[in-house]
Amino acid sequence: MTFTNSTRVALVTGGSGGIGRATAERLAADGMAVAVHFAGNEARAKEVVEAITSSGGHAIAVGGDVADEHAMAAAFDEVEAAFGGIDVVVNTAGIMTLAPIAELDLDAFDRMHRTNVRGTVVVAQQAARRVRAGGAIVLFSTTVTRTSFPTYGGYVATKGAVEAIVPVLAKEMRGRDVTVNAVAPGPTATPLFLDGKSDDDVARLAQAAPLERLGTPEDIAGAVAFLAGPARWTNGQTLFTNGGLA
C-alpha cells in the first residue's frame, strides 16, 4: 500500500500484544498507517511493525508510559512527524490485578488506577487535542462491569470510570466530527485474561456465552475497526463485545 496524504493514521496504545496487536494489524489491513505503542517491550512492538510492513503496510513503534502526560505528548508528536497527523486513537493499554475487595492490595489498586484511569485520561486528552476531523477515539472497558464476577472489583472500578468518560468526551468533541466510544470485551484468550486461571476456570468461562467459546483478539479488533471506520453514527457508546455473555 502506498502512503498518501489521504491515508488514515492510527495510534494503538498497548499495541505490542494481545488485543492491541490484533487491533494494530487489523487497522493496517484496513489501509491505515499504524503507530504501535509499547510501554516496556520494544522488541515485541517492533515485531508487530515488521509484520505490518512485510505485508505492505506502514507502521512505526512509539514508546512511553500512558499515564505520563509528557511521554504521551512526545509519542503523539512522533506519530504526527512520521505520518502527518492522527485520525484514530485506540487505547488498549491496561493492567489487571484480581482479588476480593476485602483482600485487595491497595498499592496494586493504585497501580491499576494509574494505568487504567489516569492513563486513559492522558491518552484521551492528547487524542481530543489532535485527532483530525472524521476521526475516532476508542477507549477500553470490560464486560465485567455487567457480569460483576467476584475478585474483579478493583479492576471494574477502573473500567467503570472509562465508561463514564466516554459520553462526556463525545459531547465535548461537538463540532469536530470525531466520534468517541469504548469497547468492552468479554472473556478473551489473551495473556492478561489467562494469567492465573486454572484450566477449569477457562473452560467454564468459555461455555458462559451462547457462542460457547472464548473471544479472540481478532474478534475484539473487528469491533474496534467498526468504530474506527464505518460507525460514524455510533458515538458516546460502550460496545459490549462478548458473544452474548451479557
Side-chain angles (χ1 to χ4, degrees):
M1 292 179 285
T2 301
F3 183 84
T4 69
N5 289 337
S6 63
T7 300
R8 300 182 81 213
V9 177
L11 167 61
V12 181
T13 70
S16 62
I19 290 170
R21 175 171 185 157
T23 296
E25 292 180 345
R26 171 59 188 268
L27 296 181
D30 287 349
M32 297 188 198
V34 180
V36 180
H37 162 269
F38 65 93
N41 198 327
E42 183 177 8
R44 201 163 60 175
K46 288 184 173 179
E47 289 176 8
V48 182
V49 169
E50 173 61 26
I52 291 171
T53 56
S54 65
S55 297
H58 303 275
I60 61 170
V62 296
D65 176 0
V66 290
D68 182 330
E69 65 270 33
H70 304 295
M72 291 313 298
F76 274 73
D77 286 344
E78 191 174 347
V79 178
E80 290 178 331
F83 295 129
I86 301 176
D87 302 284
V88 174
V89 173
V90 184
N91 186 47
T92 75
I95 61 175
M96 179 171 66
T97 299
L98 302 182
I101 290 172
E103 301 168 14
L104 178 63
D105 181 89
L106 294 180
D107 288 337
F109 177 68
D110 286 343
R111 289 191 293 272
M112 280 195 292
H113 191 279
R114 185 177 187 278
T115 297
N116 298 356
V117 181
R118 179 187 170 94
T120 294
V121 171
V122 168
V123 172
Q125 186 175 67
Q126 290 295 324
R129 295 170 179 172
R130 304 192 194 220
V131 169
R132 296 184 288 201
I137 300 169
V138 183
L139 307 179
F140 262 72
S141 180
T142 172
T143 286
V144 189
T145 59
R146 286 189 175 181
T147 57
S148 304
F149 291 149
T151 75
Y152 281 79
Y155 180 66
V156 166
T158 68
K159 292 303 187 176
V162 174
E163 290 185 24
I165 289 166
V166 166
V168 173
L169 183 56
K171 291 178 173 63
E172 291 175 350
M173 298 299 287
R174 176 180 293 275
R176 293 274 302 279
D177 190 24
V178 172
T179 61
V180 182
N181 294 288
V183 173
T188 305
T190 66
L192 180 69
F193 169 77
L194 295 172
D195 183 44
K197 292 183 174 65
S198 69
D199 290 344
D200 287 344
D201 289 338
V202 172
R204 175 176 52 79
L205 288 166
Q207 291 297 307
L211 295 179
E212 296 187 337
R213 66 174 177 84
L214 295 179
T216 67
E218 291 73 23
D219 290 325
I220 311 307
V224 174
F226 170 68
L227 295 173
R232 300 307 303 163
W233 196 236
T234 303
N235 194 21
Q237 307 301 311
T238 296
L239 179 60
F240 286 82
T241 308
N242 55 36
L245 177 62

